[in-house]
Amino acid sequence: MRRTITRLGPWQPHEEVLNQIILLLLLDYLPFSTVIRTQIRMQLLHFSLFGDFNNYLAFILSRAKDVPAEIRKVAGLLLKNGLMAEYNLIEPEHQQYIKLQLLYGLGEADQHIRSTCGTTISIVVQQGGILGWPELFHTLLHFLKSGDPNRNGGAMDALSKIFENTPELLDSDDAWPGQRPINIFLLELFEQFFHSPHANLRKLSLRFVNKYIISMPSGLYTSMNKYLDGLFLLANEPDAVVRKLVCTALLQLVEFHPSVLEPRLKDVIGCMLQLNKDNNDVVALEACGFWSKYWDAQMPSENLRENLPRLTLILLSNMAYANDDNLLADAEVIDAKEDESIPDRHQDLKPQLPCSDEDDDTCTICNLRKCSALALDVLSNVFGAKILLTFMPIIEENLSATGDEAWRDKEAAVLALGIIARGCINGLYPRLSEIVASLIPLLDHKFTLIRSTSCWTLSQFSKYIVQDSGNKKGYEQFDMVLTALLQRISDTNKLVQGAACSALAILEEEAAEKLAPRLKEILQHLMHPLGDYQKRNLRIICDAIGTLVDAVGEELDQPVYVEILIPPLIQKWQNFSIFDKDLLTLLECFTSIVQALGSIEFSEFTEHLFSRCISIIEAQQRLVKAHPFSDKDFITCSLDFLSGLTGCFDSGIESLVLALSFAREM
């Protein structure tokens, strides 16, 4: 294999050695057997013992243009690793040769070659310091001014990687006494590359500057107006990646240096409003995070007040389900029996309820819908009923829309009502009966996502629904909501089942003793679907049962209620092995029940539960001995239940212990 090479010196590659190394790199790239590959690498190791081996690698990376780019990159990787291990052992003249080749490679047309050279340059700086390469920054600045897009990009790539490895060097006086390199480079980027006709250079320059926002060098601070002008210009960039980088820059500024934005807040807010309604969801999502950071930074509220109508409508629009949302399939009218009978997948076990400040753990996936809901929640708590003047007419219009094509906007309006329920309650409370009356029919809507969201939104008004139940009209409203949620517990869609159970639990907690007159009916509705519920909804319905038990307390201690409550739970309990995690959910539920039942007579279910808890503890103790770091939740939950039994039945617990001992002796 012969290569035509450019000779330069004083050091020059021997053509025969060069070709042998290139051949070995080519062979090493091919899918040979382990034995052959080992032989190839042994030969490469032989060459690496010579003091100028890294020179050959640098030559191949930067100069061997007729060698495939993949092989040149392999040479670059070997060079980088070699310099990391032994740079300070290399002879000075060889170090200088390698540096020259790396700088030459920054102007290569192939972006990957430039990137490999930039990475290796950062390693040289890391190993030898900037004092060992004093001309580097001058050369990189020359490349930035060259007008050559390849050199421009290569220089910015190298600077970015130097920052990643040794960020302090660019913001120090070591390279240019009396001035800091970062300030000179930033000025060049603002002057030239934010306006470059090459999209890649605009992207690289923006990425580079963004790295310095947190540290805020003096050059960036004093050029803030020029920088912001560049950001506003790039916000109209056709490339979505650039628009997202603009969002990232403004988010970092408002989080870490909010004061620098105050003179330009009107422009900043206008820019973020534009980006928040971007047709690219990734850009819009990044922009949406600005509003929460704005309040966290305690920025002036009056600067945003005049933009509230526009912002709230953008957020409402972004809260509508996107085409690629995982839950969108549930919007179709499907065979409900098929849905409720399909076992839960792993992703089904993650919470799906809307976000709020108080339950951030339910937001398992950050998307534009949830981020917009969180931003709307923040606005409602900051501005209260002030957002309702222009917001409610749009909500009402969307709620009254007819036709299947409008269902997403309708669902988003329902969600928005629930989001603002707390912050805007002073303005919403006088219209509570109207709001409830508009939500109740939606619990029977043909689209499952509207039914499930309506359950959640009603739950956000639970406190005020219960609060109004002291008079006849208010109690009728409370009764209507309770009845509607109980019916939805037996919905044939799993998502709606879970939403109804969660909403009922919130209503139960608020209503407490007001539930007593309808306790039998509530228990019947809760226990009826228990046998058919899948894993995720089993946890939720058991929580609703436990909340009900805690809410009504001793009211539950009647045989008629026990007969409704216990047998279905026992039947479900018997379906699980003593190592099944779902058993923990039932154990916690039984613990609440036992504490509420108090003086109830010992019965077959008590003996059964007691015996099985002892078996669980014994089995788990054996498991812990074998695996000391195994999960101890089974033991904890079982002991909690036994403690509840002991506390309720006092000395009567002895009969259970004796009965168990007698049964084992038999």
Side-chain angles (χ1 to χ4, degrees):
M1 175 185 255
R2 307 296 295 174
R3 299 277 182 238
T4 301
I5 59 176
T6 303
R7 293 193 176 274
L8 46 101
W11 183 90
Q12 294 184 26
H14 292 286
E15 193 166 346
E16 182 179 350
V17 175
L18 176 66
N19 287 330
Q20 289 179 14
I21 293 175
I22 291 174
L23 177 59
L24 290 172
L25 293 175
L26 283 167
L27 293 173
D28 189 49
Y29 193 74
L30 297 175
F32 287 120
S33 67
T34 303
V35 174
I36 296 177
R37 187 175 297 279
T38 300
Q39 293 174 350
I40 294 170
R41 292 185 177 175
M42 288 296 292
Q43 292 182 61
L44 280 172
L45 180 61
H46 167 73
F47 280 108
S48 71
L49 298 177
F50 293 93
D52 59 354
F53 178 65
N54 288 314
N55 295 31
Y56 281 98
L57 295 177
F59 181 91
I60 295 169
L61 170 63
S62 300
R63 300 274 183 172
K65 298 182 183 298
D66 52 348
V67 173
E70 292 78 8
I71 306 305
R72 294 171 68 186
K73 285 188 291 182
V74 172
L77 178 61
L78 289 175
L79 175 62
K80 182 199 76 169
N81 293 337
L83 296 180
M84 286 182 66
E86 56 183 28
Y87 178 78
N88 291 312
L89 300 178
I90 298 174
E91 294 181 13
E93 60 269 25
H94 291 336
Q95 290 181 353
Q96 189 62 25
Y97 178 85
I98 292 169
K99 293 172 187 176
L100 289 172
Q101 304 317 305
L102 292 174
L103 290 173
Y104 180 86
L106 287 182
E108 273 289 284
D110 188 293
Q111 180 182 346
H112 299 292
I113 298 298
R114 296 200 304 269
S115 179
T116 304
C117 288
T119 301
T120 311
I121 286 172
S122 72
I123 297 300
V124 172
V125 173
Q126 185 180 30
Q127 297 296 314
I130 195 59
L131 295 179
W133 199 349
E135 73 276 13
L136 173 62
F137 287 154
H138 295 275
T139 304
L140 293 178
L141 181 62
H142 173 71
F143 282 8
L144 289 178
K145 293 175 177 287
S146 68
D148 180 347
N150 293 332
R151 283 188 167 187
N152 294 160
M156 275 190 280
D157 182 84
L159 285 168
S160 295
K161 288 167 178 173
I162 292 170
F163 171 83
E164 290 169 5
N165 282 344
T166 49
E168 70 282 355
L169 291 182
L170 286 174
D171 200 12
S172 72
D173 298 324
D174 290 343
W176 280 317
Q179 52 186 331
R180 301 189 172 192
I182 184 58
N183 296 331
I184 298 171
F185 290 129
L186 286 174
L187 185 62
E188 188 65 29
L189 295 177
F190 297 155
E191 294 284 354
Q192 182 174 335
F193 294 109
F194 273 24
H195 308 275
S196 172
H198 302 283
N200 187 55
L201 294 181
R202 298 193 297 272
K203 192 184 307 179
L204 283 172
S205 63
L206 192 51
R207 272 207 182 97
F208 178 76
V209 180
N210 283 3
K211 294 175 186 291
Y212 277 93
I213 289 177
I214 296 177
S215 62
M216 189 58 68
S218 59
L220 180 56
Y221 183 81
T222 56
S223 304
M224 185 53 61
N225 273 329
K226 187 175 292 187
Y227 176 49
L228 290 175
D229 286 338
L231 291 179
F232 301 149
L233 177 69
L234 293 172
N236 300 299
E237 170 74 35
D239 190 329
V241 175
V242 173
R243 300 198 302 275
K244 181 177 181 292
L245 288 169
V246 170
C247 295
T248 302
L250 291 172
L251 260 68
Q252 288 189 78
L253 285 170
V254 77
E255 181 175 5
F256 296 102
H257 305 284
S259 61
V260 303
L261 294 182
E262 290 194 18
R264 304 289 299 273
L265 270 183
K266 183 176 180 180
D267 295 330
V268 171
I269 290 171
C271 180
M272 295 311 296
L273 285 169
Q274 171 190 327
L275 292 167
N276 205 167
K277 64 175 184 178
D278 198 278
N279 57 13
N280 183 289
D281 281 356
V282 175
V283 176
L285 173 60
E286 186 78 2
C288 192
F290 178 83
W291 313 113
S292 296
K293 292 186 182 296
Y294 187 96
W295 299 119
D296 291 342
Q298 300 180 341
M299 300 291 279
S301 60
E302 60 269 16
N303 294 83
L304 194 55
R305 187 175 285 112
E306 62 185 82
N307 291 288
L308 278 178
R310 185 180 172 194
L311 175 56
T312 51
L313 295 186
I314 290 172
L315 295 176
L316 178 62
S317 174
N318 288 344
M319 283 163 58
Y321 274 104
N323 290 329
D324 58 351
D325 197 293
N326 291 333
L327 286 180
L328 199 58
D330 290 316
E332 300 175 0
V333 182
I334 60 176
D335 184 340
K337 288 186 178 180
E338 178 186 3
D339 176 67
E340 69 174 348
S341 62
I342 296 174
D344 288 339
R345 302 162 298 174
H346 174 71
Q347 56 265 41
D348 296 330
L349 302 181
K350 298 178 180 179
Q352 303 283 3
L353 294 179
C355 290
S356 76
D357 284 340
E358 295 182 349
D359 59 1
D360 287 342
D361 58 327
T362 66
C363 302
T364 57
I365 301 174
C366 183
N367 58 27
L368 182 58
R369 169 183 167 88
K370 290 181 179 179
C371 191
S372 300
L374 180 59
L376 182 60
D377 183 39
V378 171
L379 288 178
S380 69
N381 281 282
V382 172
F383 293 102
K386 293 183 179 69
I387 72 172
L388 297 179
L389 184 62
T390 56
F391 196 50
M392 282 306 292
I394 304 298
I395 295 289
E396 292 165 352
E397 180 183 346
N398 288 358
L399 287 176
S400 62
T402 58
D404 289 354
E405 70 282 354
W407 81 265
R408 297 190 204 187
D409 291 336
K410 185 189 290 284
E411 190 276 341
V414 174
L415 175 61
L417 269 179
I419 293 294
I420 66 175
R422 179 180 56 180
C424 298
I425 193 59
N426 290 337
L428 295 174
Y429 187 73
R431 307 172 65 175
L432 181 61
S433 59
E434 177 187 339
I435 291 171
V436 172
S438 68
L439 290 173
I440 292 292
L442 297 181
L443 294 177
D444 293 314
H445 200 278
K446 65 186 260 186
F447 285 104
T448 60
L449 290 174
I450 290 182
R451 298 204 302 277
S452 64
T453 303
S454 298
C455 289
W456 180 81
T457 295
L458 274 172
S459 75
Q460 302 306 293
F461 290 97
S462 289
K463 176 181 178 179
Y464 311 102
I465 293 171
V466 171
Q467 185 176 299
D468 276 2
S469 64
N471 58 68
K472 182 181 178 182
K473 185 177 179 181
Y475 186 81
E476 289 175 354
Q477 178 176 261
F478 164 73
D479 192 64
M480 181 170 59
V481 172
L482 177 60
T483 299
L485 291 177
L486 289 174
Q487 290 172 348
R488 290 278 63 81
I489 285 174
S490 295
D491 196 284
T492 47
N493 180 272
K494 291 189 292 185
L495 188 65
V496 181
Q497 291 171 357
C501 287
S502 296
L504 180 63
I506 295 172
L507 186 66
E508 290 170 346
E509 197 168 21
E510 296 290 345
E513 69 279 356
K514 293 180 184 291
L515 300 172
R518 297 192 59 182
L519 186 52
K520 181 178 179 180
E521 180 188 356
I522 296 171
L523 285 171
Q524 287 172 333
H525 275 87
L526 282 170
M527 308 318 294
H528 173 69
L530 185 68
D532 298 325
Y533 268 26
Q534 301 295 327
K535 287 180 177 290
R536 180 175 184 270
N537 285 343
L538 175 64
R539 301 171 189 173
I540 300 174
I541 199 170
C542 282
D543 178 66
I545 294 169
T547 303
L548 175 66
V549 169
D550 294 338
V552 300
E554 293 181 357
E555 293 286 343
L556 189 68
D557 197 2
Q558 297 182 36
V560 63
Y561 298 148
V562 174
E563 286 302 315
I564 297 172
L565 180 62
I566 300 301
L569 287 171
I570 289 288
Q571 185 176 357
K572 195 74 175 179
W573 162 278
Q574 290 173 334
N575 291 338
F576 301 121
S577 77
I578 60 175
F579 298 103
D580 196 316
K581 279 280 188 181
D582 290 319
L583 201 61
L584 298 177
T585 301
L586 289 167
L587 261 174
E588 291 171 353
C589 188
F590 277 124
T591 300
S592 296
I593 293 170
V594 164
Q595 291 172 348
L597 292 182
S599 61
I600 189 171
E601 297 179 358
F602 296 133
S603 59
E604 293 182 8
F605 82 84
T606 310
E607 294 177 8
H608 172 79
L609 292 173
F610 178 83
S611 175
R612 200 166 195 213
C613 276
I614 296 298
S615 298
I616 290 171
I617 292 172
E618 291 174 341
Q620 290 296 321
Q621 283 180 325
R622 290 193 294 270
L623 186 62
V624 168
K625 285 182 180 179
H627 306 282
F629 298 103
S630 59
D631 192 348
K632 299 179 177 62
D633 287 347
F634 285 94
I635 295 177
T636 302
C637 286
S638 297
L639 289 174
D640 284 345
F641 175 73
L642 294 177
S643 176
L645 273 182
T646 304
C648 292
F649 302 143
D650 199 14
S651 59
I653 199 74
E654 294 176 4
S655 61
L656 292 177
V657 176
L658 291 173
L660 179 62
S661 300
F662 179 76
R664 292 188 172 184
E665 289 175 0
M666 296 293 291

